[in-house]
Amino acid sequence: MSLPAVLLAAGPSPSPSPSESPNVTVPTFQDAQQSANQAASWVEQNWSTWLAIGLRVVLILVIAGVLRVVVRRAITKLIDRMNRTAAQQTGGTALGGLLVNAERRRQRSAAIGSVLRSVASFLILGTAALMVLATFQINLAPLLASAGVAGVAVGFGARNLVTDFLSGVFMILEDQYGVGDEIDAGVATGEVIEVGLRVTKLRGPNGAIWYVRNGEVKRIGNLSQGWATAGVDVTVRASEDLDRLKATLTEVAEKMSKEEPWNELLWSPIEVLGLDSVLIDSMVVRVSAKTMPGRSVTVERELRWRIKRAFDEADIRIVGGATAPAEGDTVPDPTASVAAPSVYSNAASPQAEAATPITPSQRPTGK
């Protein structure tokens, strides 16, 4: 039989399955080798750039970390040295121990050190982050613009917080007050028990604790810095002998200045300043002295006590006010200037009866 006859007897040839595609090409070994060569060539061309970027990033981070540690340690040592210097300058004397409060110095130093360390860390790490981004060739202009807009929005929304923080920083740096000081902050008055960057804590005279925002303080009166003044006004009769009066007050002042503990509380001799005012029947003598801060009221009370006892022994009378009558003067009758009672005050008088309204029972009846 011929070949065409055999093929027709065998029947039609089977068709290929759908999964078998006549266009599928199997990669050869040469193709894989060519791709590997291309990848190796690309890595070989860029590995130096990657290595340079990596080394630059590592160098930036190492320098930033070392610089941050060095700056923070320098700030800590500076604060400690300031504390030791202040302690050496005021140590060894009773006055230094009274003026310098260890807790106040510790809190002030801690606050200043915390602010300086935070600012230094923010500047160093922020600069390092920007340098790292610039190393990767990232455009920083949009990022800085967005950060600027966000900062303005946050600053506008939290302006009170920013004001409190900045006011607290300047209060601490300028040492306007500290722990243990008696201050008048306008919105509250009392003893400072804690100083913070945002809030100052005060204890009022009645024991209440006041939390005062630093941004609300417009003026501060510190009653514990420097020295205080104790002033006592003594009102006596205008007929008293001035020389005897001055001698008595001078004796009281000299005796009190030499006794303990008043000799430590007084920072200057008690002075008799003289006549503060002279009226018709009285005169006021003023006595003053410089005292330790916050102890003026105690000195004034003791000084009044001693003056009163000395005046009683010297038979010098202290009058109660500027217009108080002297002893032996006749007190005018307070009813002397009062007019005589009116006849209308007597309900039975003819004038009162005539002025009495007519009642219904007194009306005449018609005929």
Side-chain angles (χ1 to χ4, degrees):
M1 296 177 62
S2 61
L3 181 59
V6 175
L7 292 175
L8 290 173
S13 61
S15 61
S17 61
S19 60
E20 296 180 358
S21 175
N23 297 327
V24 174
T25 60
V26 179
T28 62
F29 178 76
Q30 289 79 6
D31 296 338
Q33 185 177 6
Q34 185 179 1
S35 300
N37 291 334
Q38 292 177 356
S41 176
W42 184 78
V43 171
E44 184 179 0
Q45 293 176 0
N46 295 279
W47 74 271
S48 58
T49 304
W50 294 348
L51 181 60
I53 292 175
L55 291 177
R56 187 177 301 176
V57 171
V58 172
L59 183 61
I60 291 173
L61 295 179
V62 170
I63 293 177
V66 173
L67 184 61
R68 179 173 178 269
V69 172
V70 171
V71 171
R72 289 174 67 89
R73 287 187 178 181
I75 293 174
T76 303
K77 290 183 179 181
L78 177 62
I79 297 299
D80 294 341
R81 183 177 300 178
M82 291 172 57
N83 291 337
R84 289 195 300 268
T85 303
Q88 292 175 0
Q89 291 178 354
T90 57
T93 61
L95 182 59
L98 291 172
L99 287 178
V100 179
N101 189 300
E103 180 64 18
R104 167 181 176 171
R105 187 170 61 250
R106 185 192 67 79
Q107 287 201 12
R108 180 170 180 264
S109 301
I112 294 176
S114 176
V115 172
L116 294 179
R117 283 190 292 267
S118 299
V119 172
S121 298
F122 177 78
L123 293 178
I124 294 173
L125 296 180
T127 304
L130 293 178
M131 293 178 65
V132 169
L133 293 178
T135 302
F136 287 103
Q137 298 181 356
I138 297 177
N139 189 10
L140 299 180
L143 180 62
L144 295 178
S146 301
V149 174
V152 172
V154 172
F156 182 78
R159 57 185 182 276
N160 292 333
L161 181 62
V162 175
T163 302
D164 297 340
F165 181 81
L166 293 179
S167 300
V169 170
F170 283 107
M171 287 179 183
I172 293 175
L173 293 178
E174 297 173 0
D175 194 17
Q176 298 179 5
Y177 55 82
V179 176
D181 288 350
E182 189 78 18
I183 67 170
D184 181 3
V187 294
T189 303
E191 180 183 357
V192 180
I193 60 177
E194 185 177 343
V195 179
L197 294 177
R198 192 182 69 87
V199 175
T200 297
K201 189 184 297 184
L202 304 177
R203 184 176 296 277
N206 58 352
I209 296 180
W210 298 93
Y211 295 87
V212 182
R213 287 172 42 207
N214 296 329
E216 294 182 349
V217 179
K218 303 302 180 182
R219 51 97 176 157
I220 297 175
N222 196 326
L223 307 179
S224 301
Q225 287 185 353
W227 45 267
T229 302
V232 176
D233 294 333
V234 183
T235 305
V236 297
R237 294 177 298 183
S239 58
E240 294 290 346
D241 186 2
L242 294 179
D243 295 333
R244 187 165 68 99
L245 181 64
K246 184 177 181 180
T248 303
L249 293 175
T250 303
E251 181 181 358
V252 171
E254 292 178 353
K255 185 177 179 180
M256 182 176 175
S257 300
K258 296 178 182 179
E259 295 181 359
E260 294 183 355
W262 311 110
N263 55 354
E264 297 181 357
L265 300 181
L266 293 171
W267 286 9
S268 68
I270 301 177
E271 300 180 9
V272 182
L273 301 181
L275 293 177
D276 190 65
S277 62
V278 179
L279 301 177
I280 297 177
D281 52 1
S282 65
M283 56 183 177
V284 179
V285 182
R286 184 167 183 81
V287 181
S288 177
K290 291 182 179 180
T291 68
M292 182 186 301
R295 306 307 296 272
S296 60
V297 177
T298 304
V299 174
E300 289 176 357
R301 292 172 179 172
E302 180 66 19
L303 190 57
R304 291 191 187 97
W305 181 280
R306 292 172 179 260
I307 290 175
K308 179 62 171 64
R309 294 182 61 181
F311 279 12
D312 291 343
E313 295 177 358
D315 195 19
I316 299 176
R317 184 171 179 269
I318 299 178
V319 298
T323 59
E327 186 178 357
D329 295 345
T330 58
V331 179
D333 185 7
T335 62
S337 59
V338 180
S342 173
V343 294
Y344 288 99
S345 62
N346 185 6
S349 63
Q351 292 84 352
E353 292 181 355
T356 302
I358 300 176
T359 59
S361 60
Q362 295 177 346
R363 293 178 180 175
T365 56
K367 295 183 181 181

